[in-house]
Amino acid sequence: MLLSVLPGIMGTVVGPAITEEGGCLGNPDSYEKLLLKTMIATHFLVLPVAVLLLGWREWLFLIYGHSYAGGSAVFVILIADLAISLIVSPAQYSMVSKKKIWPLQMIALAEVLFMLLLTYAWVPKYFGLGLAGALLAAEFASSTFMQEYCIWTGIIPASLRKPYYDFLAVLAAMSLGAWFLPSRILEIIAAPVGVGLAFFIMRRHPAVMSW
């Protein structure tokens, strides 16, 4: 999916660097700066693209044909799910660098079990929307727990809490707008809002943008 391409490439490059700096021979100051830059870069790469995908999703679904026309609501939930999985990736890399493999695996297992429980409860009533909602709820719960666990145990600095919740707040506002605003208005405002959001992030974090 388009939303995951650029952060995926960035993760391929930055992931080993986080693992190295977070290790026993790494520099703590460089480690914190690297994590912060990675999170802000994820803001810049994910949020504007998500705005465009949410605003123009009706056009995107023309590719799949008339039978998928009713899936735009599910698409909103899946975009939010993918975005959350991307913003928590620095914490995942950090857990690997600190050799917290078993806690990472336990969090992943808990996410799967929680998702299965929600799927069992929601899919019979809401079908595809219930499945997408179960994925989102499980991703949100596991990612937020992982972020707080890493901060509580000192795996990542507490300064990363604000960028994480800022990302979630913007994502929630975007998703609610995509749910309730008319599709014609979304198509008109998607490009200006996406570009404006990108410029806002660049102006607020100029040092990160030159990274």
Side-chain angles (χ1 to χ4, degrees):
M1 181 180 275
L2 177 62
L3 187 62
S4 63
V5 171
L6 289 178
I9 296 173
M10 185 185 70
T12 303
V13 176
V14 176
I18 293 176
T19 304
E20 181 179 354
E21 290 293 349
C24 58
L25 299 179
N27 186 319
D29 292 334
S30 299
Y31 175 62
E32 180 175 356
K33 291 178 182 178
L34 181 61
L35 288 173
L36 181 59
K37 288 180 177 180
T38 302
M39 291 197 75
I40 300 304
T42 304
H43 282 221
F44 177 74
L45 294 173
V46 172
L47 292 176
V49 176
V51 169
L52 297 178
L53 291 176
L54 292 173
W56 295 342
R57 68 185 188 276
E58 298 292 342
W59 293 97
L60 295 174
F61 269 81
L62 291 177
I63 301 172
Y64 298 97
H66 178 73
S67 58
Y68 289 90
S72 61
V74 175
F75 186 72
V76 174
I77 299 175
L78 294 179
I79 287 291
D81 174 73
L82 178 58
I84 294 174
S85 70
L86 293 172
I87 195 61
V88 80
S89 57
Q92 294 174 326
Y93 292 130
S94 298
M95 292 186 74
V96 173
S97 72
K98 301 296 184 181
K99 297 183 174 60
K100 301 294 183 180
I101 305 301
W102 278 110
L104 180 61
Q105 296 297 325
M106 293 303 294
I107 292 173
L109 177 61
E111 177 185 356
V112 172
L113 294 177
F114 185 46
M115 183 195 69
L116 290 175
L117 177 64
L118 293 178
T119 299
Y120 179 78
W122 291 350
V123 168
K125 185 175 182 180
Y126 301 105
F127 306 107
L129 198 62
L131 178 59
L135 288 170
L136 176 60
E139 184 65 52
F140 170 77
S142 67
S143 297
T144 301
F145 178 82
M146 184 185 301
Q147 188 79 7
E148 292 298 330
Y149 170 82
C150 289
I151 293 173
W152 179 65
T153 56
I155 295 174
I156 62 176
S159 59
L160 296 185
R161 179 179 281 122
K162 187 177 185 302
Y164 176 78
Y165 287 107
D166 284 349
F167 182 93
L168 292 185
V170 174
L171 182 65
M174 289 163 41
S175 301
L176 290 173
W179 265 90
F180 295 109
L181 290 177
S183 60
R184 186 60 60 189
I185 293 179
L186 291 173
E187 292 170 5
I188 295 172
I189 68 173
V193 172
V195 173
L197 184 58
F199 274 103
F200 174 78
I201 298 171
M202 290 172 64
R203 290 287 300 273
R204 191 176 183 184
H205 305 280
V208 176
M209 292 302 102
S210 62
W211 179 35

